[in-house]
Amino acid sequence: MEVIDCHSHVASSRYIPDEFFDGWVDNILATSGSKDDRHGAALRQVFRKINEDPLCDEYVAQMDEAGIARAVLLIIDFKYVYGEPFDDMVEIYRRHREILERHPGRFICFAGVDPRRGRAGVELLELGIEQYGFSGLKLYPPCGFSPSDERLDPYYEVCAQYQLPVLSHIGPTTPSLSFNFARPEGIDEAARRFPQVKFVLGHAGSTHFRDAAVLAEYRPNVFLDMSGFQAAASRGRFDDLMRFHKENGILNKILFGTDWPIHRLLGAQKKWVDRFKQLCTDGILTQRELANIFGETFRSISPSSIGAA
Ligand SMILES: [Zn+2]
């Protein structure tokens, strides 16, 4: 059974800025009630450390151990919202292409663009697809836009033309960004207007998983990725979540994902793969259902990425 991870990122502060993890630490401290500054400083260091694998060598070693054949690397355009130069994005694309070449056959890359870049953004997406072999579009609406914003239409037209999927982050994120646009229903209008484009709701809707499941059930072109539930699993809430999706009859709309490197503290990649296999052992999933989640469904929505570099 070939495992494809449909949601991950290159671990590097060049791609996931320090502000991102620092915001997470602020929230961990606030929710834990910690008043100890040393605790915060130590946690910041830990998150810096898990975000250091810029060439994906450690990542590939963990994929090998876990039996993950391929993983999607999602580029996020944080540069627009943090006011950094456009040329940085071109450089980020180029470096991702180098990673595809460094580990042949192991990675698939989705281009990330903030739609407020207008025509330059569309050209960046086309550059990624045509020159660098990227196989999809990653959106990060908490940067401050709705995934149904009409400014995204030209981007979706490119995706329709090349038959490429769109994966959008859904759910709360680092506190320096907006949660306003992070709800599943934000995708609804785009999914209706572009029925030929496959939309994947990141983290299966996260805290909004019920609303995400409704879209997956009623919109043929909406899918869910199961990355990011490692913490929920550690609290014993994963089996019920998968039963919920099974009862809704949407297991064929679900994709395996890890969100590497975000949850590295909760265990190696193998631990998350094994957690899905456990669902079979426990009779929650059949082998067929697991095979679909592990890769068959991704192949069906992203045929062009399989066989790419
Ligand atoms: Zn992610």
Side-chain angles (χ1 to χ4, degrees), residues 31-300:
T31 49
S32 69
S34 172
K35 305 272 187 293
D36 186 342
D37 284 348
R38 286 169 305 175
H39 187 196
L43 258 181
R44 269 177 247 286
Q45 275 314 108
V46 168
F47 278 105
R48 297 272 191 286
K49 193 104 192 88
I50 66 167
N51 197 24
E52 283 176 14
D53 180 34
L55 301 178
C56 292
D57 293 346
E58 162 70 12
Y59 185 20
V60 168
Q62 287 214 16
M63 286 166 64
D64 289 343
E65 183 199 19
I68 298 173
R70 289 163 177 258
V72 177
L73 296 172
L74 302 167
I75 297 174
I76 301 175
D77 184 355
F78 284 122
K79 298 292 176 186
Y80 185 90
V81 70
Y82 290 131
E84 292 168 26
F86 177 76
D87 285 351
D88 285 6
M89 283 312 296
V90 180
E91 177 65 9
I92 286 173
Y93 276 39
R94 196 183 61 72
R95 286 175 183 252
H96 277 72
R97 174 66 209 178
E98 285 176 2
I99 291 167
L100 295 183
E101 288 168 358
R102 182 181 179 87
H103 303 286
R106 303 307 299 275
F107 291 116
I108 295 155
C109 191
F110 282 19
V113 192
D114 190 310
R116 291 167 291 186
R117 295 189 184 281
R119 189 64 221 159
V122 178
E123 286 168 7
L124 186 65
L125 172 62
E126 288 172 334
L127 173 82
I129 296 166
E130 293 165 7
Q131 304 292 320
Y132 297 155
F134 296 170
S135 313
L137 172 63
K138 162 70 170 179
L139 297 175
Y140 212 80
C143 287
F145 58 87
S146 164
S148 288
D149 189 319
E150 287 181 1
R151 285 176 290 188
L152 274 162
D153 286 6
Y155 297 82
Y156 294 149
E157 281 158 14
V158 170
C159 290
Q161 179 194 341
Y162 287 95
Q163 296 185 308
L164 302 180
V166 176
L167 193 152
S168 178
H169 174 88
I170 304 286
T173 177
T174 187
S176 63
L177 297 176
S178 167
F179 302 168
N180 278 342
F181 297 115
R183 293 175 172 274
E185 51 269 36
I187 292 283
D188 185 53
E189 193 52 29
R192 185 185 69 79
R193 287 193 284 115
F194 291 90
Q196 68 279 47
V197 176
K198 306 285 195 287
F199 290 87
V200 181
L201 305 188
H203 320 304
S206 180
T207 46
H208 312 292
F209 67 90
R210 286 189 175 79
D211 295 332
V214 172
L215 284 186
E217 185 177 352
Y218 290 98
R219 291 233 175 259
N221 57 332
V222 171
F223 295 77
L224 308 178
D225 106 54
M226 290 306 297
S227 67
F229 288 98
Q230 287 92 330
S234 71
R235 295 185 201 118
R237 298 208 298 251
F238 187 57
D239 289 356
D240 283 348
L241 181 67
M242 293 306 288
R243 283 196 193 95
F244 171 79
H245 290 315
K246 185 162 184 155
E247 284 160 10
N248 283 294
I250 55 170
L251 289 182
N252 288 330
K253 305 296 283 297
I254 285 181
L255 312 169
F256 174 76
T258 65
D259 209 10
W260 167 277
I262 309 289
H263 305 284
R264 288 180 73 179
L265 290 180
L266 294 170
Q269 297 300 84
K270 184 175 189 309
K271 185 176 173 187
W272 195 225
V273 169
D274 287 348
R275 190 66 190 78
F276 278 76
K277 290 179 178 171
Q278 186 69 35
L279 294 167
C280 268
T281 313
D282 294 343
I284 297 167
L285 297 183
T286 65
Q287 286 287 335
R288 181 72 256 152
E289 289 164 343
L290 183 64
N292 288 342
I293 291 170
F294 265 163
E296 293 304 314
T297 303
F298 181 82
R299 285 171 179 281
S300 73

